[in-house]
């Protein structure tokens, strides 16, 4: 088993992965103020919670979009397990053919998710089709992978929580609310209207993005989603979208194995 760590802006996903898939995953709040020791204590507790010892950990891999936190997490993992972390970035072989203007600018989390999508979905299709991949977190990213497993581009937009927090913070009369699906589209009070606007608005936008990508590519696609907010939004979409919360973890496992074979 290896430990896969996806360091995001809001949460850190900490998981154990082997050839069969995820053994466990846990979410930790991202906090750049925490020390190496504080993260080490958390990691050790999680491993103990699942009855795992340092000897059970073969290696570790990290994808990170919070650069200042990466070395802290690396040292914490070394302290707890004794293994060195492979960090997705320059010099790490992923096998992903990236056809954007600056391939080096593609986020490590998007690389890992794309690899997971290719390895666990596209390569198993009888006839490969393009994939539209949504990762719904603090930001919502959309990755488009063509039928030849090439990353050809995508989109970045504010995530649902960012949108609703911005709405509340930037207006004097709108409250801070939780993201819950309202019982109807046409809200009858302020909170219902806000929830409907964000939930059904993002669901409609997701459907619309798939429509426009298919129109641009000139063919049908396979829609896939991951990320902490994917279930809330995609439950209200009209398009058929597969949700895989372990996609990045499994992508990181594939990248780890590819580099350890070198």
């Amino acid at each position: 088993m290896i430990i896969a760590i996806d360091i995001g802006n809001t949460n850190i996903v900490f998981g154990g992965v082997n050839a069969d898939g995820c053994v466990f995953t846990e979410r930790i709040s991202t906090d750049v103020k925490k020390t190496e020791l504080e993260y080490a204590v958390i990691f050790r507790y999680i491993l103990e919670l699942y009855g795992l010892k340092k000897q059970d950990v073969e290696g570790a891999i990290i994808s990170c979009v919070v650069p200042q936190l990466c070395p802290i997490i690396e040292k914490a993992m070394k302290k707890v397990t004794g293994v060195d972390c492979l960090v997705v970035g320059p010099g790490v072989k992923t096998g992903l053919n990236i056809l954007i203007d600056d391939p080096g600018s593609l986020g490590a989390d998007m690389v890992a998710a794309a690899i997971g999508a290719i390895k666990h979905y596209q390569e198993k299709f009888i006839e490969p089709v393009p994939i539209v991949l949504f990762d719904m977190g603090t930001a919502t990213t959309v990755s488009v992978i063509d039928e030849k497993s090439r990353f050809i581009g995508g989109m970045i937009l504010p995530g649902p929580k960012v949108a609703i927090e911005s709405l509340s913070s930037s207006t004097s009369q709108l409250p801070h609310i939780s993201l819950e699906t309202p019982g109807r589209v046409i809200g009858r009070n302020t909170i219902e209207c806000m929830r409907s606007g964000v939930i059904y608005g993002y669901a409609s936008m997701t459907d619309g993005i798939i429509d426009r990508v298919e129109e641009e590519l000139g063919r049908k696609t396979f829609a896939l989603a991951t990320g902490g907010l994917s279930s809330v939004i995609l439950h209200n979409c009209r398009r058929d979208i597969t949700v895989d919360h372990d996609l990045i973890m499994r992508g990181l496992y594939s990248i780890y194995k590819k580099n350890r074979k070198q």
Side-chain angles (χ1 to χ4, degrees):
M1 179 190 74
I2 71 161
I3 297 297
I5 305 173
D6 178 35
I7 305 172
N9 290 293
T10 303
N11 291 307
I12 298 170
V13 182
F14 182 91
V17 196
N18 59 27
D20 296 322
C22 284
V23 178
F24 71 87
T25 56
E26 293 290 346
R27 288 180 178 269
I28 308 160
S29 294
T30 302
D31 186 352
V32 295
K33 294 180 181 178
K34 273 192 172 67
T35 65
E36 167 194 332
L37 179 60
E38 288 174 305
Y39 276 112
V41 170
I42 294 171
F43 295 160
R44 181 177 178 181
Y45 176 75
I46 293 173
L47 292 174
E48 289 178 350
L49 189 66
Y50 287 91
L52 299 167
K53 298 183 174 70
K54 62 187 295 184
Q55 295 88 341
D56 298 317
V57 179
E58 166 194 332
I61 183 169
I62 295 173
S63 65
C64 180
V65 297
V66 188
Q68 65 268 41
L69 199 49
C70 195
I72 295 171
I73 299 297
E74 286 185 78
K75 291 174 184 176
M77 274 300 297
K78 180 76 171 180
K79 189 183 292 287
V80 174
T81 64
V83 301
D84 293 316
C85 295
L86 177 68
V87 179
V88 179
V92 173
K93 297 188 181 299
T94 65
L96 183 63
N97 190 1
I98 304 171
L99 303 183
I100 62 175
D101 294 341
D102 180 9
S105 68
L106 187 63
D109 56 339
M110 295 179 72
V111 171
I115 292 295
I118 292 167
K119 295 295 182 185
H120 295 280
Y121 293 94
Q122 194 174 56
E123 290 184 356
K124 296 179 181 179
F125 296 156
I126 295 174
E127 181 181 350
V129 298
I131 293 177
V132 183
L133 169 60
F134 296 85
D135 187 351
M136 295 185 170
T138 305
T140 291
T141 61
V142 185
S143 302
V144 182
I145 303 159
D146 72 9
E147 66 277 8
K148 296 180 181 178
S149 299
R150 301 176 301 185
F151 188 103
I152 60 173
M155 290 163 245
I156 302 174
L157 54 143
K161 276 191 176 179
V162 170
I164 206 162
E165 286 170 5
S166 175
L167 189 62
S168 300
S169 300
S170 302
T171 55
S172 57
Q173 293 187 333
L174 294 181
H176 291 273
I177 64 170
S178 60
L179 271 181
E180 298 172 24
T181 303
R184 47 185 166 244
V185 174
I186 304 172
R188 295 181 183 174
N189 55 62
T190 300
I191 291 177
E192 278 190 359
C193 288
M194 291 174 70
R195 285 177 174 158
S196 179
V198 173
I199 298 293
Y200 293 118
Y202 269 81
S204 299
M205 179 176 62
T206 301
D207 288 332
I209 285 172
I210 298 170
D211 290 341
R212 288 171 182 266
V213 168
E214 289 184 343
E215 182 180 350
E216 191 164 307
L217 294 178
R219 61 180 304 179
K220 291 293 184 182
T221 62
F222 174 73
L224 181 61
T226 192
L229 296 175
S230 55
S231 296
V232 178
I233 301 300
L234 301 182
H235 176 71
N236 298 286
C237 289
R238 293 179 174 175
R239 296 291 302 249
D240 184 17
I241 304 170
T242 299
V243 178
D244 186 342
H245 292 297
D246 297 330
L247 192 66
I248 292 179
M249 297 287 102
R250 293 193 286 178
L252 287 172
Y253 180 82
S254 296
I255 295 170
Y256 179 89
K257 286 299 181 181
K258 184 176 185 64
N259 284 270
R260 285 297 175 256
K261 288 179 182 178
Q262 302 299 316

